[in-house]
């Protein structure tokens, strides 16, 4: 049981220089939690709505002062001074207060700020690290996740010609978090050398991955394999690859444009099969557009036995959508982003839905981030063994990786590192 004394919210900047919401919750027992919410660029159609002011004379309409007011006025009025049994009861109350199916009235950015701030305050009040508090809510064995480091950016996250959005390396063969972080940083440094050498530029995209002037996925994957080897690691044995093509972004009409020509759904799936046989790829996220459900089913049937097929825009961290997609065999894993659904409790329900379906799950950042590290603790507590939170460079990305190093260093010897399945 807990009672909320006070909620405060204020506008800050995210890593793209756009406004986002920060909030503080103070509990009657003295617990205090502060959090900052992230913001996506390649968003799924069914994501919870991020409330923006829309005043073109301030931040180009992107201000979030109304969402901050929703925290301090609407939500505070409804919940301050009230006693709740647990975080789930608070989250239900604020979702009901919003009253819309997609959190459009108060804003998912307002709701998530309150939900995360209260979760942090509850951990603080209990004298626990956040991952321990979340672990007790989730009830599965905690584990340090394999970081999926973003190395090359394209699509909506970069200004190059590459249409696939994310190319990641995952140190699945390293023995610990510390060694995984070293591996990621060393590959990043090797890749920087290659990119500067060949393209005379070290420009990066929104998530800190390099954005060289290339157009095809094969060019990006060749660079990654080269960088892995130059850094002294073995592709596949030490380090595997993961893709987020974010195919919503290169579908027009019913034709996909992966960067070199036009493909229909079956041709794109053939292309993925070629990539999988030529490179050590373990995971493909949003390989098809969210509208192409038939394509999702075909891709999962074709490669799902040995490759992780992850739904992001398709599922938007929504437990109902995950259950429906599992019934239709559209994927075999879910990407989990708290701000796609809008509360911590619903995020945990999405994780439970994935678990019940026998699916994998990967916790994820957004392309617009802050130095907040909530998702690092969530990834440990969720026990899913996978987190993607950008390059091993740039403050808002390394904040999460550094938090994982802190958890590994300070939580005794109990936490295993690695994939969960
Ligand atoms: C994605 C995310 C994070 P965005 O597509 O998986 O990498 O991007 O936050 O822009 O939706
Ligand atoms: Mg994605």
């Amino acid at each position: 049981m807990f009672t909320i004394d006070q909620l405060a919210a204020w506008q800050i900047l995210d890593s793209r220089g756009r406004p986002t919401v920060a909030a503080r919750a103070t509990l009657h027992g003295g617990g205090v939690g502060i959090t900052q919410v992230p913001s996506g660029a390649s968003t799924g159609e069914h994501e919870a709505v991020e409330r923006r002011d829309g005043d073109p004379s301030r931040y180009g309409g992107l201000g979030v002062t109304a969402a901050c007011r929703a925290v301090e006025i609407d939500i505070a009025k409804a919940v301050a001074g009230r006693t709740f049994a647990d975080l789930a009861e608070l989250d239900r109350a604020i979702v009901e207060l919003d009253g819309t199916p997609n959190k459009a009235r108060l804003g998912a950015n307002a709701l998530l700020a309150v939900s995360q701030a209260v979760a942090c305050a509850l951990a603080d009040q209990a004298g626990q690290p956040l991952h321990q508090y979340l672990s007790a809510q989730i009830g599965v064995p905690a584990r340090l996740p394999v970081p999926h480091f973003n190395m090359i950016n394209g699509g909506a996250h970069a200004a190059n010609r590459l249409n696939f959005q994310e190319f990641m390396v995952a140190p699945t063969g390293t023995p610990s978090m510390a060694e995984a972080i070293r591996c990621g940083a060393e590959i990043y440094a090797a890749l920087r050398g290659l990119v500067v050498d060949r393209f005379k530029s070290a420009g990066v995209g929104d998530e800190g991955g390099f954005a060289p002037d290339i157009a095809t996925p094969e060019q990006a994957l060749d660079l990654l394999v080269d960088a892995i080897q130059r850094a002294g690691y073995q592709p596949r044995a030490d380090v595997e690859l993961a893709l987020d093509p974010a195919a919503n972004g290169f579908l027009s009409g019913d034709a996909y444009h992966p960067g070199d020509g036009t493909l229909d759904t079956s041709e794109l799936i053939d292309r993925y099969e070629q990539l999988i046989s030529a490179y050590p790829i373990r995971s493909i996220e949003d390989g098809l557009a969210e509208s192409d459900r038939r394509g999702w089913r075909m891709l999962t049937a074709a490669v799902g036995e040995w490759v992780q097929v992850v739904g992001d825009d398709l599922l938007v961290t929504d437990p109902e959508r995950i259950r429906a997609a599992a019934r239709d065999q559209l994927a075999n894993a879910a990407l989990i982003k708290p701000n796609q659904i809008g509360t911590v409790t619903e995020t945990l329900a999405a994780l439970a839905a994935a678990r019940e379906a026998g699916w994998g799950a990967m916790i994820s950042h957004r392309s617009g981030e802050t130095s907040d590290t909530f998702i690092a603790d969530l990834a440990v507590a969720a026990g899913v063994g996978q987190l993607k939170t950008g390059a091993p460079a740039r403050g808002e990305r390394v904040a999460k990786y550094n938090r994982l190093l802190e958890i590994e260093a300070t939580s005794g010897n109990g936490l295993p590192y690695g994939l969960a399945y």
Side-chain angles (χ1 to χ4, degrees), residues 165 244 285-286 312 335 337 388:
Q165 182 177 280
D244 178 4
E285 173 190 330
D286 282 358
D312 171 16
L335 201 74
K337 295 165 166 169
K388 70 165 189 175

Side-chain angles (χ1 to χ4, degrees), residues 21 78 96 188 234-235 293 376-377 416:
V21 179
E96 272 168 32
Y188 189 78
Q234 257 192 44
R293 295 179 78 85
D377 284 69

Side-chain angles (χ1 to χ4, degrees), residues 15-16 41-42 146-158 160 162-171 180-181 183-192 195 202-212 214 220-221 223-224 227-228 239-246 285 312 335 337 362-369 386-394 396-398 400-401:
S15 56
R16 274 194 285 253
S42 63
V146 173
H148 286 57
F149 295 107
N150 187 314
M151 292 282 159
I152 297 180
N153 278 197
H157 294 171
N160 56 6
L162 192 60
N163 285 345
F164 279 27
Q165 182 177 280
E166 298 166 30
F167 293 84
M168 292 167 274
V169 302
I181 301 290
C183 173
E186 289 174 354
I187 294 169
Y188 189 78
L191 181 61
R192 188 178 196 283
V195 168
V204 298
D206 288 351
E207 300 183 343
F210 297 103
I214 55 178
L221 291 163
L223 277 168
L224 285 191
I228 291 168
V239 184
E240 294 177 272
L241 305 181
L243 306 179
D244 178 4
E285 173 190 330
D312 171 16
L335 201 74
K337 295 165 166 169
M362 187 189 293
I363 309 295
S364 168
H365 66 158
R366 299 308 306 247
S367 50
E369 267 294 337
Q386 309 184 75
L387 168 72
K388 70 165 189 175
T389 185
R394 293 182 46 139
E396 76 282 5
R397 313 294 153 183
V398 299
K400 282 73 159 169
Y401 296 128

